[in-house]
Amino acid sequence: MDKFTRRAESSGWLSVRLSRTGQLASLCEYTRVKVVRETGGRTYFTITDGFIGVGAEASLSTANAAKYLSKDGPGGAAKVTVTYSGVPTEEVSPFKGKLKQQWATLSFEGQTATVTLNSVWDGGFRPIPTGIHAILAPDYSHKTISTAPYVSATSGMVGNDVWFPIGLSGSSENSSRYIHVGHLSEGCVTVHQLERWTALYQYLISHRVAGTAGKRIGSLVVQK
C-alpha cells in the first residue's frame, strides 16, 4: 500500500528509523512510501521516491504511522515566477546587519513574496540568472544553518529547515542554489518576507512533477 509522509516536526521533517542500521533518517513531506508490514507495534515501509533513503526499509511506531502517513499524495507540477526589482540596494536586516540586496518579487498561485537573490558581493556569488530552472525535492534537513531568529519573529512558521534545490536551466542536478527562508542570499532565492514563507513552503512541498520519481517539484521562471 502506497502512502505519503507528513511532517511531525514544525521544521518540516519526519524522523523514521532505518531497519538496516537502526539510525534515524529525516523525510520531507509527501515522500512516497510502500507499507510492507506491521509487527511489534511498528509499521514498516520502503521509501520509494525523492532523494532521501530511496530503497531503504524504515519504520514508525504504528501510532505515529497513523498520524504521519497519509493516502493523499501531492498535486502536479508547481510553478514559481521570480521578477527582478531594479538594481541592488542596501537594507539593514534586524538579523544580519547591513546588506546590499538584489531584490525580486516571487509569485506563486496568485500570491507574492519579497525575495533577495544575492547579498554577498565578493565576486564569488551572483544572482540566479534569468531563464527557466527546475525546482527539486528537498535533499536533507538544513538545520545546521540556524533559522531560530526567523521562527521566533514569525508566528506559525513551518518548514523553516526545508530548502528546495534549484537545477539551473532545467537540470536535475543540484546547483547548490536553493529556495529557502532567510535574510542572507549567496545566490539563492531567499524569502526575505518571513511571513510569506509558510504559504510558499506548503505550496512547493505538496507538488511533484509526474514521472520524476518524486525528485522534481516544478519550474522556476526568473525574469527581469
Side-chain angles (χ1 to χ4, degrees):
M1 178 191 302
D2 284 348
K3 291 201 172 183
F4 299 87
T5 58
R6 296 294 189 269
R7 68 178 184 273
E9 305 159 15
S10 62
S11 60
W13 299 92
L14 172 67
S15 294
V16 300
R17 188 168 301 281
L18 299 175
S19 297
R20 187 174 67 83
T21 64
Q23 295 180 329
L24 295 178
S26 295
L27 302 181
C28 66
E29 293 195 86
Y30 290 89
T31 297
R32 184 192 296 267
V33 301
K34 182 177 288 293
V35 176
V36 292
R37 66 184 184 279
E38 293 182 8
T39 184
R42 297 194 69 80
T43 297
Y44 292 82
F45 47 85
T46 303
I47 303 166
T48 60
D49 76 4
F51 288 108
I52 303 165
V54 178
E57 183 184 88
S59 66
L60 289 165
S61 71
T62 297
N64 280 339
K67 291 180 182 178
Y68 303 122
L69 298 183
S70 172
K71 62 179 178 57
D72 297 324
K79 182 180 179 181
V80 169
T81 300
V82 169
T83 305
Y84 276 69
S85 300
V87 298
T89 58
E90 287 191 340
E91 164 84 359
V92 178
S93 164
F95 308 102
K96 299 294 183 180
K98 191 174 184 179
L99 298 167
K100 182 184 283 187
Q101 308 274 8
Q102 174 56 65
W103 298 109
T105 299
L106 181 150
S107 304
F108 66 101
E109 218 178 31
Q111 304 183 64
T112 62
T114 300
V115 299
T116 177
L117 302 180
N118 200 35
S119 56
V120 179
W121 303 94
D122 60 4
F125 302 95
R126 58 183 57 87
I128 190 169
T130 58
I132 301 176
H133 312 285
I135 305 172
L136 307 179
D139 47 4
Y140 59 89
S141 171
H142 287 253
K143 64 182 178 181
T144 55
I145 300 175
S146 175
T147 54
Y150 308 136
V151 174
S152 296
T154 313
S155 177
M157 180 180 284
V158 300
N160 49 288
D161 291 340
V162 177
W163 292 29
F164 296 91
I166 297 169
L168 294 178
S169 301
S171 170
S172 295
E173 296 296 320
N174 184 342
S175 66
S176 296
R177 299 186 185 210
Y178 294 83
I179 300 174
H180 66 88
V181 69
H183 275 199
L184 174 66
S185 170
E186 298 178 352
C188 293
V189 177
T190 303
V191 179
H192 189 276
Q193 191 176 357
L194 302 180
E195 70 273 16
R196 302 303 302 137
W197 168 252
T198 294
L200 176 61
Y201 163 77
Q202 291 175 330
Y203 173 66
L204 291 177
I205 201 64
S206 62
H207 288 76
R208 298 291 190 278
V209 177
T212 64
K215 290 179 167 56
R216 284 193 179 222
I217 298 289
S219 59
L220 168 67
V221 180
V222 179
Q223 59 192 21
K224 290 187 177 180

